[in-house]
Amino acid sequence: MEELDLPRSRSANERLHAMIPGGAHTYAKGDDQYPEHLAPVISHGRGSHVWDIDGNRYIEYGSGLRSVSLGHAHPRVNEAVRREIDRGSNFVRPSIVEVQAAERFLATVPTADMVKFAKNGSDVTTAAVRLARAVTGRRRVAICADHPFFSTDDWFIGTTPMSAGIPTATTDLTVSFPYGDLAATEELLTQYPDDVACLILEPAAHSEPPPGYLEGLRELADRHGCVLIFDEMITGLRWSEAGAQGLYGVVPDLSTFGKALGNGFAVSALAGRRELMEHGGLRHAGERVFLLSTTHGAETHCLAAAMAVQSTYVEEGISARLHTLGERLAAGVREAASSMGVGEHVLVRGRSSNLVFATLDEHGQPSQEYRTLFLRHLLMGGVLAPSFVVSSALGDADIDRTVDVVAEACAVYRKAVDAGDPTPWLAGRPVKPVFRRLA
């Protein structure tokens, strides 16, 4: 396999670091997440492919950190966006597009009564937490300890290794519970009686909810008087058009959507029960809650993108297609790894519409060094894959090629396992975890 040379990307990465802290606007897109000197800077994308500024083409997975689920430059979405841009994008009063987008969203997610749009996931999850605290009069927020990210705001980031600048008085009010363990969650709620405002979690992640778990969580929240919040940033649309709540049939009090909702355009949503959501409105008699108030939250072209995405999902069965594509990819990767003798080291996990991979060392432990080796050979084979999260733009030829490249990577992986040391195959420093205390 030929070495991948990225001189223009290396130069652009230096320019990025000179002007932008971290060299990217999202830590998960940083060049520290890629093998040294193999972090391509993107020129453009179409469908399931992207091109870097050095002219290399890649089959891309995890597009836009899972946001571009229909593929890049999707014609229906782009046309909806162009139409609204020509009509103006932001006014001093609500646009009729806001009515239409809310109607479209609530028709697609019928478990919610009201919706408010914003630009990113952090804003809407924090709004949900603020609303829960307001309506319950309680201080503490209970987050699921097994889910990696909820918000850039202090109440969550202070619980990660990147807690610099956040007072402990803030994070002392954030407590955690384990996913799938109702007894431990009830113990937490009993430990802080009448003080937990909400339980916030992803309804599902890399494993399916244990039977009765979400139903039990709903009952616990009701019994202890706290608000149940589903973070559907990832599960929304990818699990079903109506999210995980639509698939599993358990209705939260509040839920948050984003990522796939805009196919790369900036739009997120807070949705939920009317009696809670209206506390952020004008038609109630109580104390007002500053729920969401964003200058750009209802830009017409982004709401048009969301409507086009939801219509495409419903009319074309996109959720089912993502699952079918993911099943084919997972089977191929597992077969390739097994055939090269590393089936116990290169693992594919998660729901088929949201696949990730794990790279284990010769002792069966997660390894950043082996991840580096694997990513390096994927990139050299023309596959850009920090995960194996599929988009509906992928074709059979894309998946077949990906599996071939995985097999080539696994052949090198086998050599490293046999040697008990992947270092000779890294050609530089290993990739790093996103959340770490030191740079």
Side-chain angles (χ1 to χ4, degrees), residues 10 17 34 43 58 100 137 179-180 193 197 230 237 243 245 247 256 260 312 325 344 360 405 422:
R10 288 202 299 274
H17 279 283
Y34 291 84
S43 163
Y58 306 87
Q100 297 162 345
Y179 187 80
F230 282 177
L237 295 168
Q245 60 194 280
L247 180 66
T256 58
T312 301
L325 288 167
E344 295 182 356
L360 309 184
V405 172

Side-chain angles (χ1 to χ4, degrees), residues 73-132:
H74 188 274
R76 183 171 182 175
V77 177
N78 280 5
E79 177 55 33
V81 168
R82 286 191 196 99
R83 185 168 58 247
E84 292 306 326
I85 284 178
D86 287 341
R87 294 163 53 85
S89 63
N90 208 336
F91 313 107
V92 75
R93 279 281 295 148
S95 163
I96 188 63
V97 177
E98 295 177 49
V99 178
Q100 297 162 345
E103 288 173 343
R104 173 75 271 181
F105 182 93
L106 295 173
T108 308
V109 187
T111 41
D113 300 321
M114 300 185 81
V115 62
K116 195 157 189 179
F117 296 109
K119 284 299 183 196
N120 62 68
S122 294
D123 283 353
V124 290
T125 53
T126 291
V129 166
R130 184 185 305 119
L131 182 57

Side-chain angles (χ1 to χ4, degrees), residues 57-307:
R57 186 182 81 159
Y58 306 87
I59 303 167
E60 189 196 39
Y61 293 89
S63 316
L65 304 182
R66 295 178 171 88
S67 68
V68 186
S69 63
L70 297 177
H72 297 289
H74 188 274
R76 183 171 182 175
V77 177
N78 280 5
E79 177 55 33
V81 168
R82 286 191 196 99
R83 185 168 58 247
E84 292 306 326
I85 284 178
D86 287 341
R87 294 163 53 85
S89 63
N90 208 336
F91 313 107
V92 75
R93 279 281 295 148
S95 163
I96 188 63
V97 177
E98 295 177 49
V99 178
Q100 297 162 345
E103 288 173 343
R104 173 75 271 181
F105 182 93
L106 295 173
T108 308
V109 187
T111 41
D113 300 321
M114 300 185 81
V115 62
K116 195 157 189 179
F117 296 109
K119 284 299 183 196
N120 62 68
S122 294
D123 283 353
V124 290
T125 53
T126 291
V129 166
R130 184 185 305 119
L131 182 57
R133 281 172 159 161
V135 298
T136 62
R138 299 175 178 183
R139 304 177 303 156
R140 295 189 191 275
V141 176
I143 64 173
C144 182
D146 299 307
H147 297 158
F149 188 80
F150 290 106
S151 175
T152 61
D153 291 304
D154 289 4
W155 63 269
F156 173 72
I157 287 297
T159 69
T160 75
M162 294 175 72
S163 60
I166 300 171
T168 56
T170 298
T171 50
D172 283 348
L173 295 177
T174 301
V175 294
S176 64
F177 60 93
Y179 187 80
D181 191 336
L182 291 173
T185 306
E186 181 155 30
E187 183 178 339
L188 177 73
L189 294 171
T190 303
Q191 181 182 352
Y192 300 104
D194 301 324
D195 200 24
V196 175
C198 60
L199 303 171
I200 181 168
L201 73 158
E202 296 179 60
H206 300 322
S207 58
E208 288 293 289
Y213 172 64
L214 295 178
E215 293 85 349
L217 211 58
R218 173 73 275 174
E219 190 275 332
L220 273 180
D222 289 339
R223 181 150 46 88
H224 287 269
C226 54
V227 175
L228 180 61
I229 305 171
F230 282 177
D231 177 342
E232 296 239 37
M233 288 297 145
I234 293 173
T235 55
L237 295 168
R238 283 194 177 273
W239 263 239
S240 81
E241 293 88 353
Q245 60 194 280
L247 180 66
Y248 300 126
V250 176
V251 181
D253 298 302
L254 301 170
S255 56
T256 58
F257 288 74
K259 292 194 181 289
L261 184 59
N263 201 53
F265 287 94
V267 60
S268 61
L270 169 64
R273 293 196 292 116
R274 182 176 303 278
E275 53 266 41
L276 273 69
M277 294 286 286
E278 193 58 79
H279 281 268
L282 301 176
R283 297 184 173 180
H284 70 100
E287 188 176 6
R288 295 184 71 190
V289 177
F290 194 94
L291 188 57
L292 283 164
S293 183
T294 56
T295 298
H296 301 289
E299 286 176 317
T300 57
H301 62 286
C302 292
L303 295 185
M307 287 190 282

Side-chain angles (χ1 to χ4, degrees), residues 15 18 34 43 47 54 59 69 78 97 128 171 209 249 265 303 305 308 313 339 348 368 376 387 417 426 434:
R15 291 160 60 195
Y34 291 84
S43 163
D54 292 283
I59 303 167
S69 63
N78 280 5
V97 177
T171 50
F265 287 94
L303 295 185
Y313 262 79
S339 67
V348 181
Q368 294 295 107
R376 181 177 181 81
S387 68
V417 169
L426 299 190
V434 171

Side-chain angles (χ1 to χ4, degrees), residues 378-401:
L378 291 183
L379 285 162
M380 290 193 297
V383 177
L384 180 58
S387 68
F388 281 143
V389 176
V390 297
S391 76
S392 66
L394 289 161
D396 290 346
D398 293 323
I399 292 179
D400 291 344
R401 173 60 185 161

